[in-house]
Amino acid sequence: MPPVNVKRPRLAPRSPSRAGSRSGAQAAASKPVVSDAPRVGFVSLGCPKALVDSERIVTQLRAEGYAVSSTYQDSDLVIVNTCGFIDEAVQESLDAIGEALTENGKVIVTGCLGAKAGESGGSLVGQAHPSVLAITGPHALEEVMGHVHTHLPRPHDPFSDLVPEAGIKLTPRHYAYLKISEGCNHRCSFCIIPAMRGDLVSRPIGEVVREARALFKSGVRELLVISQDTSAYGVDLKYRTDFVDGRPVRTRMTELCRELGLLAREYDAWIRLHYVYPYPHVDEVLPLMAEGLILPYLDVPFQHSHPDVLKRMKRPASGERNIERIQGWRKWVPELTVRSTFIAGFPGETEEHFEHLLDFLKEAQLNRVGCFAYSPVEGASANELDGALPDEVREDRRKRFMAVQQRISRRLLKQRVGNVVRVLVDSVGPQGALARTASDAPQIDGVVQVASHRSLKPGEFSSVLITGSDAHDLMGEVQG
Ligand code: SF4
């Protein structure tokens, strides 16, 4: 039995003339309503592609234990899958939404009309029917289900719910990685990620924000935004407009940071950005840091400083004037932490190139830095480059690089002694707690070793007076 009854409209009362026009309106009613399951009514308009979308949504509803109802009165919520192809279809869809609002009141709109802008920009559906709960475009199963979960939560069933709402996480409960895209449009010569994972594919912003909300609801206090190239988020979608809580929002880095930041403020949580390439539009997120919406932290993988080496690496944004950029960012947000990674001993790197890198490091005064001795990766085009350096030279340069950075890091951390900082506690033991400041991403940066204090709990924020430092970490005592 198909999950959607395509033969005739089942949601009553629809006008026979309207329901019978064009492809017709159909409602799903594949099984009798189960008394205690949440009930969803479904009106499906439009072409076969829209119908397939409807089938997928209804299948998912049933798989999750929702009942599909055959009348407005019997439904806890109604989904209207719309068509926006021609004027007549637009009007039919708008009328169907109006009818569902009148007869039921709780309506989620999906489909082609959901993606259509009104005359003054914004959503056409939102303008015609401001009381709809949520609006998505077509092919938006996950988004629609997200809205259903928000407005008609399914009661937890311990016998069938093996997976928590936020999914299964391998990180501690209080922080999580939020992947915003997959793949990469660049072709760095030392990297085989594009060959393995393909070109950039961004997740629509509505989907990403919904996952973030679910993670915050499940107790996450820090979200680490990851991708291969966070600055390129949405390029593949041409920054397409999607919907966040029914509001049209472009799938783009700045907009994403703002939405995540607002959500983080609601849940008293942190947003940290990783893998940010220094394109000009990155400047747009600095005001969000100044506002306190996202952490003043940028993980920018520079990899090298010398233009010749960057060219051989085929690095994105290699033409940027990075020292000026960093200085500009710090003027905006003085407390900004810049983390980066570098490669020492890349094929063809001369001593002069390497000295250029050390000078860059001294001038940039980066807060957190990792450095790898170049190591060939099977399948990478850098393997074909001439000028490969002996292992000892690569390792020697890595050590020299890290010795310079250690001095910088020691000096920068020492400046923090005497300050009271907000920390997120990672773990608590008999000797004290390990926590992190806004400057420290888990696993890759330093920690604050907090002297034993009974009040600290993992996953909670605390105020700590910094009492000591070394080249990597801080030491502190709980305040108050
Ligand atoms: S190293 Fe270059 S090619 Fe590889 S994922 Fe990063 S930006 Fe893309």
Side-chain angles (χ1 to χ4, degrees):
M1 176 186 281
V4 175
N5 181 345
V6 297
K7 294 196 179 77
R8 53 189 286 266
R10 295 287 297 275
L11 274 181
R14 299 292 319 273
S15 136
S17 58
R18 214 160 12 88
S21 68
R22 298 189 65 259
S23 59
Q26 299 100 27
S30 52
K31 282 207 172 167
V33 170
V34 181
S35 59
D36 56 354
R39 297 171 307 257
V40 179
F42 206 102
V43 180
S44 181
L45 302 163
C47 67
K49 276 174 278 176
L51 184 63
V52 171
D53 283 356
S54 296
E55 289 173 345
R56 292 186 65 209
I57 294 167
V58 173
T59 303
Q60 188 63 29
L61 286 168
R62 295 301 306 271
E64 293 189 14
Y66 288 91
V68 181
S69 174
S70 59
T71 67
Y72 288 125
Q73 289 71 26
D74 213 10
S75 306
D76 297 306
L77 177 151
V78 177
I79 299 171
V80 183
N81 188 4
T82 58
C83 176
F85 185 46
I86 54 173
D87 289 351
E88 193 195 345
V90 169
Q91 194 52 53
E92 182 183 26
S93 293
L94 288 175
D95 290 349
I97 296 165
E99 183 178 274
L101 281 169
T102 307
E103 297 295 326
N104 181 280
K106 287 183 81 175
V107 177
I108 290 172
V109 174
T110 183
C112 294
L113 189 61
K116 209 161 190 164
E119 277 175 10
S120 53
S123 159
L124 188 149
V125 171
Q127 284 162 11
H129 294 295
S131 58
V132 296
L133 299 175
I135 305 166
T136 82
H139 323 303
L141 171 67
E142 286 193 35
E143 278 180 85
V144 172
M145 292 310 299
H147 292 308
V148 172
H149 297 152
T150 302
H151 296 288
L152 186 61
R154 184 170 55 100
H156 181 74
D157 178 351
F159 296 104
S160 61
D161 289 353
L162 300 177
V163 180
E165 190 193 356
I168 295 168
K169 296 286 160 201
L170 302 175
T171 45
R173 189 168 170 263
H174 61 280
Y175 69 80
Y177 296 95
L178 182 65
K179 193 193 248 188
I180 60 170
S181 61
E182 186 56 271
C184 181
N185 287 346
H186 304 297
R187 296 294 181 263
C188 299
S189 57
F190 55 81
C191 177
I192 56 167
I193 283 176
M196 288 192 310
R197 303 195 183 163
D199 284 341
L200 178 77
V201 178
S202 302
R203 299 173 64 197
I205 192 165
E207 187 183 311
V208 175
V209 174
R210 258 197 317 284
E211 183 182 346
R213 187 185 288 280
L215 288 166
F216 286 144
K217 275 188 185 171
S218 74
V220 165
R221 287 292 161 265
E222 177 178 3
L223 274 184
L224 301 116
V225 175
I226 56 165
S227 66
Q228 309 299 339
D229 179 358
T230 295
S231 317
Y233 176 62
V235 166
D236 54 310
L237 300 175
K238 300 194 169 55
Y239 306 122
R240 192 171 72 206
T241 296
D242 193 41
F243 293 91
V244 174
D245 298 330
R247 287 176 291 113
V249 185
R250 291 172 81 202
T251 296
R252 189 169 171 272
M253 182 191 182
T254 310
E255 282 78 351
L256 177 68
C257 291
R258 172 164 288 284
E259 292 298 329
L260 292 178
L262 291 170
L263 208 53
R265 181 174 276 176
E266 200 181 307
Y267 287 89
D268 187 21
W270 283 352
I271 301 290
R272 191 184 295 283
L273 301 183
H274 288 280
Y275 313 117
V276 176
Y277 286 94
Y279 301 119
H281 70 269
V282 170
D283 292 357
E284 295 173 20
V285 301
L286 272 291
L288 304 180
M289 293 179 181
E291 263 184 75
L293 286 179
I294 58 174
L295 287 181
Y297 180 101
L298 279 178
D299 175 6
V300 187
F302 289 117
Q303 306 300 10
H304 212 280
S305 63
H306 198 285
D308 292 353
V309 180
L310 289 170
K311 212 164 158 194
R312 286 163 76 84
M313 288 179 166
K314 296 198 186 147
R315 290 295 289 165
S318 61
E320 297 295 329
R321 298 154 68 88
N322 289 329
I323 289 287
E324 285 88 337
R325 297 299 302 288
I326 295 166
Q327 288 167 347
W329 293 339
R330 285 191 172 136
K331 264 192 202 138
W332 249 327
V333 183
E335 70 276 25
L336 179 71
T337 291
V338 183
R339 139 167 274 279
S340 191
T341 46
F342 293 87
I343 296 174
F346 192 72
E349 183 191 65
T350 63
E351 181 60 26
E352 186 204 331
H353 294 147
F354 182 65
E355 292 286 342
H356 187 280
L357 177 57
L358 294 184
D359 289 344
F360 172 86
L361 201 58
K362 288 174 199 159
E363 200 176 350
Q365 295 285 300
L366 303 177
N367 306 76
R368 299 293 191 185
V369 167
C371 182
F372 303 94
Y374 173 73
S375 159
V377 174
E378 201 181 325
S381 64
N383 301 349
E384 316 301 321
L385 293 172
D386 52 15
L389 297 172
D391 287 356
E392 313 81 71
V393 175
R394 294 183 226 158
E395 182 54 24
D396 178 60
R397 287 185 183 169
R398 186 194 68 79
K399 283 187 181 151
R400 286 165 63 198
F401 179 100
M402 286 315 292
V404 171
Q405 179 57 29
Q406 275 210 359
R407 286 197 289 279
I408 294 169
S409 177
R410 190 180 290 278
R411 192 184 62 75
L412 291 175
L413 289 176
K414 201 169 181 184
Q415 290 174 354
R416 306 190 71 181
V417 174
N419 293 347
V420 174
V421 294
R422 192 171 196 231
V423 297
L424 180 58
V425 179
D426 277 335
S427 61
V428 181
Q431 307 303 320
L434 291 181
R436 289 176 294 105
T437 69
S439 301
D440 310 309
Q443 311 292 341
I444 53 174
D445 294 331
V447 294
V448 186
Q449 298 162 12
V450 188
S452 176
H453 199 288
R454 280 182 314 171
S455 69
L456 294 180
K457 291 194 185 71
E460 287 188 354
F461 289 106
S462 180
S463 284
V464 167
L465 170 68
I466 301 302
T467 54
S469 66
D470 60 23
H472 302 286
D473 299 328
L474 295 168
M475 295 92 214
E477 292 166 2
V478 173
Q479 284 288 284

